[in-house]
Amino acid sequence: VGGELRFSEFFSHGAGLTTSLDALLHCEHSGIQHICVVQSPVFGRMLLLDGMVMLTEWDEFIYHEMLVHPALFLLPFPRKVLVIGGGDGGTVREVLRHPSIEHVDLVEIDPRVIAVAQSYFPTVAAGFSDPRVHLHHADGAEFVRSAPSGFYDAVFVDSTDPTGIAESLFGEAFYSECQRVLHATGVLALQSESPLHPVYCQTLPRVHRLLRPLFRHVASYLASIPTYPTGMWSFTLASRHYHPLEDFSPTDAQQRIERLSGKLRYYTAELHRAAFALPGFVQELISEGLAQPAP
Ligand code: AG3
């Protein structure tokens, strides 16, 4: 329609997400990637990196709560956390809700993402001013290589898709460094793309193949994130010590949820268990991937 602003992200052959836009608020090339902020009538402000939706004001709570809380409620007393990527601050915001947290390292390769999030998404980037948070402008894969062994209780990988700058964050060497920097009872949680995506559905089985030799327990769970490609999103949790369901106490989690700072909108103690129940095709995707020889 004449002059109307629109945004689309296609995951395949013209299939994907489209919205009209009220405004284009910010656009730049940071030297690493295109960073844009647009305003949509339903999704609110949207953060786009190279034309891909990283978050929207409307549904970011789902992604950030589900990346963080299944792992942190599995740990009885999480204190030290590493976040790789996540320059918008949403993951850090969720981590800081837990009163036991003492130290958070955030490693973001593109400082412009942090700056743009601070100006346009103040409620998402809220945690950056907290004294427990330490920002590092570095490549995540390089940062973990030089981090001390056994230091972190939890590591979160809040990456973009497994291509370009984020590719190393889906590799064997990176995962083995993540395991090394984690305490023996620590937990790794990462976003593992959509099991319905025509190309990136292979990320989930690949992640299992790479993590199984490193961690005793590896399990994935799902959440619906309507503004991400296909709307169905997977996360994967790995630990040498804790089983994501057998070692999870819903009554303990419920008591801790009541003591969190702020109110959760998606994650509940019941949902923790429910999210790990995988549809048949996702179970098959993972087990077929495990049957294949390592790439
Ligand atoms: N991490 C990006 C998820 C991948 C979305 N992919 C896409 N739109 N093609 C989100 C960062 C939020 N902290």
Side-chain angles (χ1 to χ4, degrees), residues 104-147:
V104 182
D105 285 315
L106 176 108
V107 186
E108 168 58 54
I109 198 166
D110 190 346
R112 288 300 305 158
V113 173
I114 297 178
V116 168
Q118 284 174 322
S119 339
Y120 291 95
F121 298 92
T123 58
V124 179
F128 289 146
S129 51
D130 191 294
R132 294 170 289 176
V133 178
H134 305 264
L135 297 180
H136 307 270
H137 296 153
D139 177 71
E142 271 165 38
F143 185 91
V144 280
R145 260 197 305 253
S146 52

Side-chain angles (χ1 to χ4, degrees), residues 9 52-54 63-64 88 158-161 191 228-229 233:
E9 180 184 349
M52 291 175 278
V53 177
M54 290 299 118
Y63 175 86
H64 291 122
D88 51 74
D158 186 5
S159 66
T160 51
D161 296 341
Q191 72 89 353
Y228 281 176
W233 211 254

Side-chain angles (χ1 to χ4, degrees), residues 248 254 257 264 266-273:
F248 173 76
Q254 195 46 54
I257 287 172
L264 299 181
Y266 193 89
Y267 180 90
T268 67
E270 262 201 322
L271 186 101
H272 181 112
R273 306 193 68 86

